Amino acid sequence: MLAVGADAALLAGAHGARWPGARWWATDLPGEAAGGPMPEAVQWLSDVDAADAPQAVDLLVLGSAFAGLSGALPWLRQVSQRCTRRARLVLMLNNASSATHIEHLLQADATPEGVGADPAVPRQTPPTLYKLLMDAGWMPRLLHHTDCEPASAASGDALRMAAQALGVGAGQVDLLHRMQRLVIAAERDMEHAPIEPGAARFSVVVPTTDARQLRANVECSPGLHEVGARIVSVRNVASPADAIEQARPHCEADWVLMCHQDVYFPAGFGEQLNAVLASIPAEERSATLIGFVGMGVDRAKRQPVNAGHVIDRLSRADFEASDTALSIDELAIVMARDSVHRIDPGIGWHLWATELCLTSIKTHGRFPRIVRLPLFHNSRTGWTLPGAFYDAAEYLMARHADFVPIHTLCGVLDAAFLQRRPREN
């Protein structure tokens, strides 16, 4: 076990008492002041690169000061080289987007109560930290958090209104902004997938309504930069069908990756997707349809099962890949530039990828597939379904009545589902 940071090292005593066989090393984070007395079971290192540092770390514990570390990504990549293939990382994050911290900023004084004028409390927002961890090869998940409430009902309402003005759903405010500290764990379970370095085999198409989301997610994704993928942003389009038809002349690669503007592709994604696409025979390319998360079929039980992988802000959907997809989440799909698949312009912005999926099965006799790659969905919706989703569900059920009930990640689409449509105010 390797603890980096003074507060991380303090955990060694309790852990060692519970697991006497554990061997603990500890060191400071770069630039961190030396910590106080350490538990006797800890071997203190002058530096994580010291010769006596462990070469096969099973548990890496990072102190809270990691969130404020300059050059955190290359440092973490270097330390990760000492970790075993099945190692786990654990850290605590002070949430910079908590209601309490936002209120302090609005009062022009970010000093935590009872700490003093030099608090030295590094903070980071969870989505930004998640991106960093994923770029270092670690797939994070939330283990635990402590709550914080707005100072008053009025400030809580004001926070909701401010978030809504920025396009952030109420669910985000009620969950993410009411977390004070988060305990996050991560594993490197995707780092050993096949890769193909070199130029991207795919172009990227992004229907865009918010330029900042595009720049903060898709355009700065290292998983696209590593293969030089061309990004085609299309504006003022009426539907996904319109978006891809407008973009198609600008897509030079054999494959097209169409995604939401709030999707972030971590380091490693592009080379892994290249390897997937390289494995598809040329004669199968035009009929191939690929998703990243959705519903597949358990062949043995003949039952729908969750498939694929995505980290959606704080939630991680982590399932096996599937070569028999029943539905695909439209946050990202891949199809050939000369694909036989055409997005239905009548379905709108929801469930269009599932419509493609069902049409592929019924019309082309081919199951789409869902692959398992590192993907981050920086969604601000708040995990609620708008009325337009129910309109799309009704359209989909009418068009593919022989598939009803239709299993999706957002629920089973049937008559009972439509009855839950929110009433218009």
Side-chain angles (χ1 to χ4, degrees):
M1 316 302 173
L2 175 62
V4 187
D7 55 347
L10 293 173
L11 301 174
H15 185 275
R18 185 171 181 180
W19 304 100
R23 299 179 61 193
W24 276 84
W25 285 263
T27 188
D28 295 315
L29 279 159
E32 184 184 32
M38 290 294 109
E40 292 182 2
V42 174
Q43 179 177 343
W44 191 257
L45 303 169
S46 59
D47 188 274
V48 74
D49 292 321
D52 57 345
Q55 299 295 319
V57 175
D58 297 302
L59 175 64
L60 175 61
V61 184
L62 300 181
S64 57
F66 172 76
L69 180 64
S70 176
L73 179 56
W75 179 87
L76 180 56
R77 282 175 171 165
Q78 181 179 0
V79 174
S80 298
Q81 294 176 4
R82 292 185 175 272
C83 295
T84 62
R85 183 168 179 171
R86 297 185 180 276
R88 171 172 283 202
L89 177 154
V90 179
L91 60 83
M92 187 188 78
L93 174 70
N94 294 302
N95 184 8
S97 56
S98 70
T100 300
H101 190 56
I102 292 172
E103 289 167 353
H104 287 172
L105 293 177
L106 290 172
Q107 294 166 341
D109 185 356
T111 308
E113 290 87 343
V115 176
D118 185 19
V121 181
R123 297 179 185 273
Q124 185 60 275
T125 60
T128 305
L129 180 72
Y130 270 38
K131 289 179 179 180
L132 187 154
L133 292 173
M134 294 179 76
D135 284 339
W138 296 90
M139 300 299 117
R141 66 176 76 243
L142 179 65
L143 286 186
H144 184 68
H145 73 274
T146 58
D147 294 327
C148 69
E149 294 294 330
S152 66
S155 65
D157 291 342
L159 182 58
R160 273 173 161 250
M161 290 178 63
Q164 184 177 6
L166 294 171
V168 180
Q172 290 283 352
V173 180
D174 292 341
L175 178 64
L176 181 60
H177 299 295
R178 292 176 184 245
M179 294 181 175
Q180 186 76 19
R181 294 182 179 87
L182 294 77
V183 179
I184 297 165
E187 300 85 26
R188 295 193 301 164
D189 53 346
M190 288 192 173
E191 198 174 41
H192 304 283
I195 64 171
E196 182 192 78
R201 291 178 174 266
F202 58 94
S203 302
V204 183
V205 175
V206 193
T208 304
T209 59
D210 185 331
R212 186 190 181 282
Q213 273 200 310
L214 176 73
R215 292 193 298 268
N217 295 289
V218 179
E219 287 189 346
C220 70
S221 295
L224 302 182
H225 295 170
E226 68 193 13
V227 293
R230 183 175 188 180
I231 300 171
V232 182
S233 171
V234 285
R235 319 288 176 105
N236 303 315
V237 290
S239 66
D242 185 23
I244 201 164
E245 291 307 316
Q246 285 194 33
R248 200 183 300 272
H250 306 284
C251 297
E252 300 172 351
D254 290 335
W255 297 90
V256 175
L257 165 62
M258 185 164 169
C259 66
H260 286 178
Q261 63 193 359
D262 57 4
V263 176
Y264 182 81
F265 301 93
F269 173 90
E271 293 182 349
Q272 290 183 34
L273 180 57
N274 264 0
V276 170
L277 300 178
S279 69
I280 299 171
E283 64 272 16
E284 296 181 10
R285 187 173 62 204
S286 64
T288 296
L289 180 64
I290 297 173
F292 297 92
V293 66
M295 302 294 297
V297 177
D298 183 323
R299 291 179 180 270
K301 298 180 180 178
R302 297 188 177 184
Q303 294 290 326
V305 291
N306 294 326
H309 175 271
V310 67
I311 297 177
D312 191 337
R313 285 257 167 145
L314 295 177
S315 304
R316 183 178 179 185
D318 187 9
F319 307 102
E320 296 297 323
S322 174
D323 60 359
T324 51
L326 290 174
S327 69
I328 293 173
D329 192 293
E330 61 270 9
L331 66 90
I333 68 160
V334 176
M335 54 185 174
R337 185 178 57 176
D338 59 351
S339 177
V340 299
H341 305 290
R342 289 293 181 269
I343 299 173
D344 185 344
I347 198 169
W349 291 99
H350 301 278
L351 293 169
W352 57 266
T354 295
E355 199 286 323
L356 275 179
C357 195
L358 298 181
T359 298
S360 177
I361 297 169
K362 184 165 60 175
T363 303
H364 304 295
R366 288 284 300 271
F367 272 103
R369 58 186 290 197
I370 295 174
V371 296
R372 187 173 179 271
L373 271 66
L375 204 65
F376 183 72
H377 189 201
N378 203 359
S379 174
R380 305 184 306 188
T381 61
W383 310 287
T384 56
L385 298 177
F389 186 94
Y390 291 87
D391 295 337
E394 188 171 12
Y395 180 94
L396 184 68
M397 289 165 58
R399 183 169 173 79
H400 297 284
D402 46 337
F403 279 94
V404 177
I406 299 170
H407 293 260
T408 76
L409 288 180
C410 295
V412 179
L413 308 185
D414 55 16
F417 179 88
L418 295 181
Q419 291 176 357
R420 298 195 290 272
R421 186 197 309 258
R423 294 184 179 180
E424 298 292 339
N425 294 329

